[in-house]
Amino acid sequence: MLSTLDKKAVESFLKLCKKEVERKNVLFIKNRKINLNGRILTARQALAEIGIFKEKEI
């Protein structure tokens, strides 16, 4: 079961993904900086926070 923090991280990540898909920006760039709930992270760090550690899991 996800904790509240994990659930918010997943929801934020999915919202970000939806926004990027709408912009037709679907190329995954590992080191790209993103704003996730007011924190600046790389895409790789954001995925690690929700438990995705390998690109093939995306």
Side-chain angles (χ1 to χ4, degrees), residues 10-25:
V10 170
E11 288 172 352
S12 296
F13 178 74
L14 292 175
K15 285 179 187 177
L16 176 68
C17 288
K18 181 179 179 185
K19 191 184 317 180
E20 293 300 317
V21 168
E22 288 171 354
R23 292 180 187 165
K24 305 217 185 301
N25 185 12

Side-chain angles (χ1 to χ4, degrees), residues 9 12-17 19-20 23 25 27-50:
S12 296
F13 178 74
L14 292 175
K15 285 179 187 177
L16 176 68
C17 288
K19 191 184 317 180
E20 293 300 317
R23 292 180 187 165
N25 185 12
L27 180 64
F28 180 69
I29 301 172
K30 297 174 193 174
N31 297 324
R32 190 173 128 209
K33 302 280 185 192
I34 58 174
N35 185 342
L36 187 63
N37 286 339
R39 297 181 317 173
I40 304 296
L41 300 171
T42 65
R44 182 181 285 174
Q45 289 170 325
L47 288 173
E49 281 198 10
I50 61 171

